[in-house]
Amino acid sequence: MNLETTAAIVAADQNAGDWGGEPPMSPREAVEHVRNIMTLDEVVDYGDENTEAYRLVLASSDLPS
């Protein structure tokens, strides 16, 4: 998976929650948000695509465009 794909997965997962009427996050905003609230060690392994996407965005310092 590349950064654009993983960022899109993380954004979709983050936007699935209730943010109290806030607009959906862009992939870049979602990646920045996730990096602010968790570390790579805190990712729970569910053995799915979301787990891998979170690991990849947290292991990288790059941001999607």
Side-chain angles (χ1 to χ4, degrees):
M1 269 190 273
N2 64 29
L3 182 60
E4 301 300 322
T5 302
T6 57
I9 292 168
V10 169
D13 187 53
Q14 289 295 306
N15 288 325
D18 180 17
W19 293 96
E22 291 291 321
M25 286 186 259
S26 70
R28 182 181 184 107
E29 292 169 327
V31 168
E32 289 174 330
H33 172 70
V34 166
R35 287 180 181 163
N36 285 323
I37 64 167
M38 67 189 314
T39 66
L40 185 56
D41 294 334
E42 295 173 320
V43 175
V44 177
D45 188 354
Y46 293 109
D48 62 1
E49 188 176 55
N50 284 11
T51 300
E52 189 63 23
Y54 276 85
R55 284 186 175 146
L56 289 171
V57 299
L58 290 167
S60 172
S61 62
D62 297 334
L63 289 171
S65 52

